[in-house]
Amino acid sequence: LKTGCDDIDTSEGIYFIGKLLWAKGLDKLLELESAYKRKVGDYFKIDVYGSGPEEEEIRRAFHGWNKRSFSSKENLKKASSVKDKMDALISEMPKSRFEFRKESIPASFPGRKDHALLTDGYKIFVNPSITEVLCTTTAEAIAMGKFAIIPVHPSNTFFEQFPNCLTYQRKSDFVSKLQYAIAHDP
């Protein structure tokens, strides 16, 4: 599946959809990527759909230090006041430890999209969040017949009854569940 964004070929059809906030488990998703790489030897490709106030720092965390744009030089040239220059420098400062990653995770950020439109090419929805109350995106993915890989958590208990719901407790469990989902159809 070609998304058109960041030229990533997501052949496994793995995606996340939701508001782009650290509180939605995107820090945990980065940790799951690292666990997968330790076991398999490479990161898994993922399309991250959504938008939000922490989108830029999340994008930078996935793409790592080497892919940072460092647009502050341009912004510094354009800045007319000391305050504008400081704002330009501050905007480039890392906001999380993940931004210091040396290797880029193959993630694309296609922006906001209606979940119902993600019918073709995707078979695996990953939602590491444990802050959900309604878990709408998980319910939608399961109803659409996709694998939903989610953590064992009280907010996810309802979904465990569905055969296309794969739950994990540890990062190693996640890796096994993702490998299973890649190799099988929901």
Side-chain angles (χ1 to χ4, degrees), residues 103-163:
E103 295 178 303
S104 180
I105 291 173
S108 72
F109 291 82
R112 292 178 65 185
K113 193 160 190 177
D114 186 328
H115 199 175
L117 298 175
L118 299 179
T119 55
D120 295 329
Y122 293 106
K123 71 173 190 173
I124 305 167
F125 170 67
V126 175
N127 187 3
S129 177
I130 56 170
T131 62
E132 302 297 319
V133 177
L134 297 174
C135 306
T136 308
T137 55
T138 299
E140 291 170 345
I142 289 173
M144 293 164 73
K146 300 173 185 313
F147 281 119
I149 305 178
I150 56 176
V152 172
H153 186 266
S155 64
N156 291 328
T157 303
F158 171 76
F159 302 115
E160 293 175 7
Q161 67 184 302
F162 299 100

